[in-house]
Amino acid sequence: MSERVVRLAEALLEHEVRAVFGISGSGLSLQLITALEQRGVPFYTASHEAAAAIMAGAAGWRTGTLGCSLSIRGPGLGNALAGILTNHYEQRAALSIAEALGPLTPAGMMHKRLEHAGALAFCSKAYATLGEPRETLAGLATAARAEIPGPVHLDLFAEDAPALRVSASAPAAEGRAGDAVRRLVERAARPVLVVGGLATRRRWGARLARLRVPVFTTFAAKGVIDERLPFAAGVFTGDGKARSPEARVLPEADLVVGLGLRNLEILRPRAFPCPAVVVDLVDGVAEGFAATHVWRTDGDEPFEELLSLLEARCWGESVVTEATAEVRRALLADPWLPGAVYDCLERELPGVGCFVADAGWFCTVAEHVWRATSPTAFLASANGRSMGTGLPMAIGAALADRAQPTVCAMGDGGVRMYVADVKLAVEERLPILFLLLSDGRLGSLAGASGLSRRATTVAGPSWFRVAEAMDCAAQQVKDVDGLVAALRRWRWREGPMFIEAVFDPERYAAMTREIR
Ligand SMILES: Cc1ncc(C[n+]2csc(CCOP(=O)(O)OP(=O)(O)O)c2C)c(N)n1
């Protein structure tokens, strides 16, 4: 085994890599897997390199460690790119490692050639070759975790080439908007907070729960305050319709205070119905909110200072209570749609450790109905809204924490992409409830009249017998009683279960109409 690979394995361990996901080649990647296994770091083979990168991002995020995925060069990394892009959108600190052709490889060697650095340029924060493993890994891990967190990449050559690093861009200078922001916050009688994913990573996040003004989070920050609290106004997307909490609460406010509010986390950034200020650690991500002032800061103090000012305010409890009750009423009115399923889950499976939602209408319902109690208790392709990512995210989250059940809600579209990895969940006896919410269509797209039906109809939408054939306990349910019975049969400590809930497509298509 190459001595450099051994040193890389040791450096990975030092930088909190606790599991590796991927598909091996016969060369350095297999050596690395072996060296890591000898040091107690397990390797999980995924069905596809994209799924592996997504699992790595989710596992790292769930444990606060550095997610790690592995592939061969060219087509291996090419496949991984979709998962690396997901980690970029979702701002997950994760390292991808690929075997690569080094500078000494003859130019005519075209087999599986891909210019990795170029292919990764958009979505990877830093790119490096091995050089001195400890030093290189330290640089990559720091870049992955620095605000805005995201994926970084390491290429492994057979030859010993010096390290090459493209580092993240330097932070801009501190802005001068502080005084103006302070004055506006001091004068506001009815301020509303909109808090971004940044809060999940900062020490001031915990203080939000003490406020007595309405607090929205972006979808990426769902759970940063316990959503059962009286001032938790729910998820702000920028795209909420009449019955969404954002449409009801924001018109009552006289100032929006965005803490780490970034257009990267919003479906449709646009002007608020009142003046707005944004405070952030990074520049260039508040465009679209028409904020009166954007205050770029260097540390936590300005956030803490504004939170102290806001602690003196109290308004909006009844507006928030009515708005959140109204959206629940709308989504729970039908006795058998995803809202009723989540409500039933909350009662029947009270110890859910992590709720994972794939992209689709059922996810919009989960956004409002599923009440997250902490940011690590909810996981989704919150920013990218990338269909299919839910299943590998759930596997990564469950591998990182097997002590409580993980729920993976997905639709007819998303289930198909990485369904083969149900086998990995079975092999590892993971406590995952795969919950297929099936309307037989790509529901989010099927509402438009006069457009192709063929493109939005799913042929043969049922999967529970396929899951059963993969040795996963599975059942189809058509009402709440059936769901309750299936849930009561699930012994989650013994392995996954696949429940397919079948809905009427017309009622399904209408359920989010006034919400988004
Ligand atoms: C990777 C990717 N491809 C395509 C889309 C576009 N898209 C958004 S929602 C959706 C349909 C989702 O259908 P389904 O999983 O059945 O959930 P439903 O909308 O029926 O709740 C599609 C194709 C996407 N978001 N991501």
Side-chain angles (χ1 to χ4, degrees):
M1 186 180 301
S2 149
E3 186 253 337
R4 287 159 63 236
V5 167
V6 170
R7 283 194 290 130
L8 172 59
E10 281 163 359
L12 288 168
L13 209 62
E14 235 171 82
H15 287 281
E16 295 191 313
V17 167
R18 294 292 172 265
V20 179
F21 302 84
I23 298 182
S24 178
S26 58
L28 290 177
S29 57
L30 192 53
Q31 289 186 29
L32 180 60
I33 291 164
T34 310
L36 284 165
E37 276 177 354
Q38 288 167 351
R39 286 159 182 79
V41 177
F43 179 74
Y44 300 107
T45 299
S47 60
H48 190 283
E49 289 86 349
I54 295 166
M55 288 175 195
W61 166 84
R62 185 96 173 99
T63 50
T65 59
L66 188 63
C68 184
S69 62
L70 185 63
S71 71
I72 63 160
R73 71 175 187 261
L77 181 69
N79 280 353
L81 280 174
I84 296 170
L85 182 63
T86 290
N87 290 335
H88 162 74
Y89 287 137
E90 306 316 322
Q91 304 170 9
R92 307 258 181 263
L95 169 70
S96 54
I97 303 177
E99 291 179 351
L101 293 176
L104 303 184
T105 307
M109 169 64 191
M110 292 307 290
H111 178 64
K112 289 191 172 68
R113 186 177 276 275
L114 173 72
E115 210 257 295
H116 288 187
L120 287 157
F122 176 77
C123 55
S124 211
K125 286 183 76 182
Y127 167 93
T129 57
L130 189 54
E132 174 45 49
R134 282 183 75 177
E135 212 176 285
T136 305
L137 249 287
L140 286 174
T142 304
R145 292 191 169 113
E147 210 53 48
I148 303 167
V152 295
H153 182 81
L154 177 68
D155 258 356
L156 270 186
F157 305 150
E159 65 263 27
D160 209 351
L164 172 77
R165 190 169 307 133
V166 183
S167 50
S169 58
E174 173 133 12
R176 289 177 190 280
D179 288 341
V181 170
R182 272 185 214 102
R183 263 197 308 277
L184 281 170
V185 172
E186 271 161 4
R187 275 195 225 132
R190 296 185 311 283
V192 164
L193 257 81
V194 184
V195 180
L198 174 66
T200 65
R201 304 183 284 273
R202 309 307 293 190
R203 62 170 193 256
W204 45 265
R207 289 186 60 184
L208 295 167
R210 293 211 297 270
L211 294 180
R212 289 171 304 152
V213 300
V215 180
F216 283 98
T217 70
T218 62
F219 195 24
K222 186 173 170 72
V224 76
I225 66 165
D226 183 338
E227 296 192 298
R228 296 165 306 185
L229 291 174
F231 289 94
V235 170
F236 169 81
T237 66
D239 205 22
K241 296 217 166 37
R243 290 179 92 173
S244 69
E246 65 194 87
R248 294 180 152 249
V249 176
L250 289 171
E252 308 284 326
D254 62 0
L255 180 71
V256 167
V257 182
L259 300 184
L261 171 62
R262 299 173 179 169
N263 51 20
L264 308 172
E265 299 175 22
I266 297 298
L267 290 176
R268 192 195 296 226
R270 51 184 162 170
F272 289 96
C274 61
V277 293
V278 174
V279 192
D280 205 335
L281 295 176
V282 294
D283 270 329
V285 285
E287 208 166 300
F289 301 122
T292 320
H293 299 284
V294 178
W295 183 11
R296 228 263 323 150
T297 78
D298 280 331
D300 281 320
E301 293 73 23
F303 296 93
E304 308 221 11
E305 191 193 331
L306 293 181
L307 288 171
S308 299
L309 290 177
L310 289 164
E311 268 167 20
R313 299 282 178 286
C314 181
W315 85 279
E317 182 171 358
S318 60
V319 185
V320 169
T321 307
E322 278 161 33
T324 50
E326 166 65 12
V327 75
R328 282 183 75 77
R329 239 190 330 269
L331 291 169
L332 297 182
D334 192 299
W336 187 239
L337 278 176
V341 170
Y342 302 149
D343 189 48
C344 172
L345 270 180
E346 221 172 44
R347 276 181 279 115
E348 289 293 324
L349 208 58
V352 171
C354 187
F355 187 102
V356 183
D358 198 33
W361 273 156
F362 61 88
C363 176
T364 303
V365 177
E367 239 167 83
H368 296 293
V369 171
W370 187 263
R371 286 173 287 207
T373 52
S374 78
T376 52
F378 192 90
L379 184 55
S381 173
N383 306 325
R385 307 271 175 164
S386 179
M387 188 177 78
T389 56
L391 195 148
M393 276 186 198
I395 291 179
L399 277 167
D401 176 10
R402 300 170 189 242
Q404 292 162 295
T406 291
V407 174
C408 174
M410 53 199 167
D412 301 301
V415 65
R416 304 200 287 184
M417 288 186 168
Y418 304 114
V419 71
D421 279 325
V422 167
K423 287 196 177 192
L424 177 54
V426 170
E427 186 190 337
E428 291 293 327
R429 301 177 58 157
L430 295 180
I432 302 179
L433 174 63
F434 294 109
L435 186 60
L436 172 58
L437 301 154
S438 176
D439 62 333
R441 311 197 288 202
L442 303 180
S444 315
L445 319 181
S449 60
L451 300 180
S452 170
R453 284 261 160 219
R454 195 175 144 80
T456 58
T457 303
V458 176
S462 181
W463 283 94
F464 78 101
R465 293 209 188 284
V466 177
E468 217 165 47
M470 290 195 270
D471 288 330
C472 185
Q475 195 165 339
Q476 188 184 63
V477 298
K478 295 185 172 171
D479 55 30
V480 169
D481 290 345
L483 176 62
V484 169
L487 288 172
R488 289 185 182 171
R489 266 198 298 278
W490 185 33
R491 302 280 166 265
W492 60 265
R493 286 187 180 82
E494 291 168 22
M497 182 166 192
F498 190 103
I499 295 183
E500 178 171 307
V502 181
F503 304 106
D504 173 74
E506 296 306 323
R507 277 152 57 203
Y508 190 95
M511 70 189 169
T512 56
R513 206 162 274 162
E514 292 170 286
I515 291 149
R516 192 168 64 242

